mmCIF file of all heavy atoms in Angstrom:
data_model
loop_
_atom_site.group_PDB
_atom_site.id
_atom_site.type_symbol
_atom_site.label_atom_id
_atom_site.label_comp_id
_atom_site.label_asym_id
_atom_site.label_seq_id
_atom_site.Cartn_x
_atom_site.Cartn_y
_atom_site.Cartn_z
ATOM 1 N N ALA Y 59 -39.958 25.064 2.542
ATOM 2 C CA ALA Y 59 -39.157 26.164 3.108
ATOM 3 C C ALA Y 59 -39.612 27.504 2.547
ATOM 4 O O ALA Y 59 -39.736 28.489 3.288
ATOM 5 C CB ALA Y 59 -37.674 25.934 2.809
ATOM 6 N N VAL Y 60 -39.888 27.543 1.257
ATOM 7 C CA VAL Y 60 -40.369 28.792 0.644
ATOM 8 C C VAL Y 60 -41.737 29.157 1.214
ATOM 9 O O VAL Y 60 -42.012 30.331 1.499
ATOM 10 C CB VAL Y 60 -40.402 28.653 -0.892
ATOM 11 C CG1 VAL Y 60 -41.155 29.797 -1.532
ATOM 12 C CG2 VAL Y 60 -38.997 28.563 -1.445
ATOM 13 N N LYS Y 61 -42.593 28.155 1.402
ATOM 14 C CA LYS Y 61 -43.926 28.408 1.953
ATOM 15 C C LYS Y 61 -43.837 29.018 3.356
ATOM 16 O O LYS Y 61 -44.535 29.981 3.680
ATOM 17 C CB LYS Y 61 -44.720 27.105 2.004
ATOM 18 C CG LYS Y 61 -46.106 27.244 2.566
ATOM 19 C CD LYS Y 61 -46.814 25.909 2.578
ATOM 20 C CE LYS Y 61 -48.203 26.053 3.169
ATOM 21 N NZ LYS Y 61 -48.913 24.769 3.188
ATOM 22 N N LEU Y 62 -42.959 28.471 4.184
ATOM 23 C CA LEU Y 62 -42.809 28.990 5.543
ATOM 24 C C LEU Y 62 -42.273 30.419 5.535
ATOM 25 O O LEU Y 62 -42.756 31.275 6.287
ATOM 26 C CB LEU Y 62 -41.878 28.089 6.354
ATOM 27 C CG LEU Y 62 -42.426 26.699 6.700
ATOM 28 C CD1 LEU Y 62 -41.359 25.878 7.392
ATOM 29 C CD2 LEU Y 62 -43.663 26.791 7.546
ATOM 30 N N SER Y 63 -41.298 30.691 4.688
ATOM 31 C CA SER Y 63 -40.730 32.045 4.670
ATOM 32 C C SER Y 63 -41.735 33.053 4.118
ATOM 33 O O SER Y 63 -41.815 34.182 4.613
ATOM 34 C CB SER Y 63 -39.439 32.076 3.864
ATOM 35 O OG SER Y 63 -39.678 31.683 2.533
ATOM 36 N N VAL Y 64 -42.520 32.664 3.126
ATOM 37 C CA VAL Y 64 -43.530 33.569 2.577
ATOM 38 C C VAL Y 64 -44.598 33.867 3.623
ATOM 39 O O VAL Y 64 -45.058 35.010 3.748
ATOM 40 C CB VAL Y 64 -44.148 32.981 1.286
ATOM 41 C CG1 VAL Y 64 -45.421 33.699 0.902
ATOM 42 C CG2 VAL Y 64 -43.140 33.048 0.156
ATOM 43 N N GLU Y 65 -44.993 32.872 4.394
ATOM 44 C CA GLU Y 65 -46.001 33.109 5.434
ATOM 45 C C GLU Y 65 -45.498 34.084 6.486
ATOM 46 O O GLU Y 65 -46.248 34.950 6.951
ATOM 47 C CB GLU Y 65 -46.416 31.794 6.081
ATOM 48 C CG GLU Y 65 -47.323 30.971 5.212
ATOM 49 C CD GLU Y 65 -47.908 29.784 5.936
ATOM 50 O OE1 GLU Y 65 -47.753 29.697 7.179
ATOM 51 O OE2 GLU Y 65 -48.525 28.956 5.264
ATOM 52 N N LEU Y 66 -44.240 33.974 6.864
ATOM 53 C CA LEU Y 66 -43.686 34.890 7.858
ATOM 54 C C LEU Y 66 -43.614 36.308 7.309
ATOM 55 O O LEU Y 66 -44.046 37.265 7.967
ATOM 56 C CB LEU Y 66 -42.295 34.426 8.290
ATOM 57 C CG LEU Y 66 -41.582 35.294 9.318
ATOM 58 C CD1 LEU Y 66 -42.362 35.319 10.615
ATOM 59 C CD2 LEU Y 66 -40.189 34.785 9.562
ATOM 60 N N VAL Y 67 -43.091 36.454 6.106
ATOM 61 C CA VAL Y 67 -42.954 37.787 5.510
ATOM 62 C C VAL Y 67 -44.333 38.402 5.247
ATOM 63 O O VAL Y 67 -44.535 39.603 5.455
ATOM 64 C CB VAL Y 67 -42.110 37.705 4.214
ATOM 65 C CG1 VAL Y 67 -42.154 39.006 3.449
ATOM 66 C CG2 VAL Y 67 -40.681 37.327 4.558
ATOM 67 N N ALA Y 68 -45.284 37.589 4.813
ATOM 68 C CA ALA Y 68 -46.621 38.110 4.518
ATOM 69 C C ALA Y 68 -47.281 38.683 5.771
ATOM 70 O O ALA Y 68 -47.934 39.736 5.707
ATOM 71 C CB ALA Y 68 -47.490 37.016 3.922
ATOM 72 N N GLY Y 69 -47.100 38.033 6.900
ATOM 73 C CA GLY Y 69 -47.678 38.555 8.139
ATOM 74 C C GLY Y 69 -47.121 39.916 8.498
ATOM 75 O O GLY Y 69 -47.861 40.836 8.874
ATOM 76 N N VAL Y 70 -45.820 40.074 8.364
ATOM 77 C CA VAL Y 70 -45.186 41.353 8.690
ATOM 78 C C VAL Y 70 -45.623 42.436 7.702
ATOM 79 O O VAL Y 70 -45.940 43.566 8.092
ATOM 80 C CB VAL Y 70 -43.647 41.204 8.708
ATOM 81 C CG1 VAL Y 70 -42.974 42.546 8.902
ATOM 82 C CG2 VAL Y 70 -43.220 40.233 9.800
ATOM 83 N N VAL Y 71 -45.660 42.099 6.411
ATOM 84 C CA VAL Y 71 -46.032 43.082 5.392
ATOM 85 C C VAL Y 71 -47.487 43.529 5.568
ATOM 86 O O VAL Y 71 -47.784 44.729 5.521
ATOM 87 C CB VAL Y 71 -45.792 42.512 3.976
ATOM 88 C CG1 VAL Y 71 -46.430 43.379 2.911
ATOM 89 C CG2 VAL Y 71 -44.299 42.368 3.719
ATOM 90 N N VAL Y 72 -48.388 42.577 5.771
ATOM 91 C CA VAL Y 72 -49.804 42.940 5.939
ATOM 92 C C VAL Y 72 -49.986 43.799 7.182
ATOM 93 O O VAL Y 72 -50.717 44.802 7.159
ATOM 94 C CB VAL Y 72 -50.677 41.668 5.990
ATOM 95 C CG1 VAL Y 72 -52.094 41.991 6.437
ATOM 96 C CG2 VAL Y 72 -50.696 40.993 4.635
ATOM 97 N N GLY Y 73 -49.315 43.430 8.272
ATOM 98 C CA GLY Y 73 -49.399 44.253 9.477
ATOM 99 C C GLY Y 73 -48.863 45.652 9.255
ATOM 100 O O GLY Y 73 -49.459 46.642 9.707
ATOM 101 N N GLY Y 74 -47.744 45.762 8.551
ATOM 102 C CA GLY Y 74 -47.173 47.079 8.273
ATOM 103 C C GLY Y 74 -48.068 47.932 7.395
ATOM 104 O O GLY Y 74 -48.232 49.135 7.630
ATOM 105 N N VAL Y 75 -48.685 47.333 6.396
ATOM 106 C CA VAL Y 75 -49.576 48.079 5.496
ATOM 107 C C VAL Y 75 -50.822 48.553 6.233
ATOM 108 O O VAL Y 75 -51.256 49.705 6.069
ATOM 109 C CB VAL Y 75 -49.942 47.218 4.263
ATOM 110 C CG1 VAL Y 75 -51.073 47.837 3.466
ATOM 111 C CG2 VAL Y 75 -48.718 47.022 3.386
ATOM 112 N N ILE Y 76 -51.388 47.690 7.056
ATOM 113 C CA ILE Y 76 -52.575 48.100 7.826
ATOM 114 C C ILE Y 76 -52.213 49.240 8.774
ATOM 115 O O ILE Y 76 -52.939 50.233 8.886
ATOM 116 C CB ILE Y 76 -53.169 46.901 8.593
ATOM 117 C CG1 ILE Y 76 -53.793 45.912 7.608
ATOM 118 C CG2 ILE Y 76 -54.203 47.359 9.612
ATOM 119 C CD1 ILE Y 76 -54.248 44.618 8.246
ATOM 120 N N GLY Y 77 -51.085 49.123 9.457
ATOM 121 C CA GLY Y 77 -50.649 50.180 10.368
ATOM 122 C C GLY Y 77 -50.367 51.487 9.646
ATOM 123 O O GLY Y 77 -50.745 52.570 10.111
ATOM 124 N N TRP Y 78 -49.721 51.412 8.485
ATOM 125 C CA TRP Y 78 -49.438 52.606 7.690
ATOM 126 C C TRP Y 78 -50.732 53.274 7.232
ATOM 127 O O TRP Y 78 -50.878 54.498 7.310
ATOM 128 C CB TRP Y 78 -48.582 52.238 6.488
ATOM 129 C CG TRP Y 78 -48.311 53.386 5.574
ATOM 130 C CD1 TRP Y 78 -47.371 54.349 5.728
ATOM 131 C CD2 TRP Y 78 -49.019 53.697 4.375
ATOM 132 N NE1 TRP Y 78 -47.438 55.245 4.686
ATOM 133 C CE2 TRP Y 78 -48.445 54.858 3.841
ATOM 134 C CE3 TRP Y 78 -50.075 53.099 3.698
ATOM 135 C CZ2 TRP Y 78 -48.893 55.437 2.670
ATOM 136 C CZ3 TRP Y 78 -50.528 53.669 2.530
ATOM 137 C CH2 TRP Y 78 -49.932 54.835 2.024
ATOM 138 N N ALA Y 79 -51.699 52.464 6.794
ATOM 139 C CA ALA Y 79 -52.977 53.019 6.331
ATOM 140 C C ALA Y 79 -53.722 53.699 7.475
ATOM 141 O O ALA Y 79 -54.301 54.782 7.301
ATOM 142 C CB ALA Y 79 -53.832 51.918 5.715
ATOM 143 N N LEU Y 80 -53.709 53.096 8.647
ATOM 144 C CA LEU Y 80 -54.381 53.715 9.799
ATOM 145 C C LEU Y 80 -53.672 55.001 10.214
ATOM 146 O O LEU Y 80 -54.326 55.981 10.603
ATOM 147 C CB LEU Y 80 -54.457 52.730 10.966
ATOM 148 C CG LEU Y 80 -55.436 51.564 10.784
ATOM 149 C CD1 LEU Y 80 -55.318 50.594 11.957
ATOM 150 C CD2 LEU Y 80 -56.863 52.058 10.639
ATOM 151 N N ASP Y 81 -52.348 55.014 10.133
ATOM 152 C CA ASP Y 81 -51.607 56.236 10.445
ATOM 153 C C ASP Y 81 -51.947 57.345 9.459
ATOM 154 O O ASP Y 81 -52.089 58.519 9.846
ATOM 155 C CB ASP Y 81 -50.097 55.978 10.428
ATOM 156 C CG ASP Y 81 -49.604 55.346 11.726
ATOM 157 O OD1 ASP Y 81 -50.288 55.513 12.757
ATOM 158 O OD2 ASP Y 81 -48.542 54.691 11.693
ATOM 159 N N GLN Y 82 -52.072 57.018 8.193
ATOM 160 C CA GLN Y 82 -52.442 58.018 7.185
ATOM 161 C C GLN Y 82 -53.871 58.515 7.416
ATOM 162 O O GLN Y 82 -54.154 59.698 7.255
ATOM 163 C CB GLN Y 82 -52.332 57.420 5.766
ATOM 164 C CG GLN Y 82 -50.925 57.075 5.351
ATOM 165 C CD GLN Y 82 -50.025 58.288 5.290
ATOM 166 O OE1 GLN Y 82 -50.411 59.357 4.838
ATOM 167 N NE2 GLN Y 82 -48.799 58.121 5.776
#
Side-chain angles (χ1 to χ4, degrees):
V60 168
K61 179 180 179 180
L62 291 175
S63 60
V64 165
E65 285 189 10
L66 179 63
V67 170
V70 174
V71 168
V72 169
V75 168
I76 291 173
W78 177 81
L80 289 175
D81 279 337
Q82 294 297 319

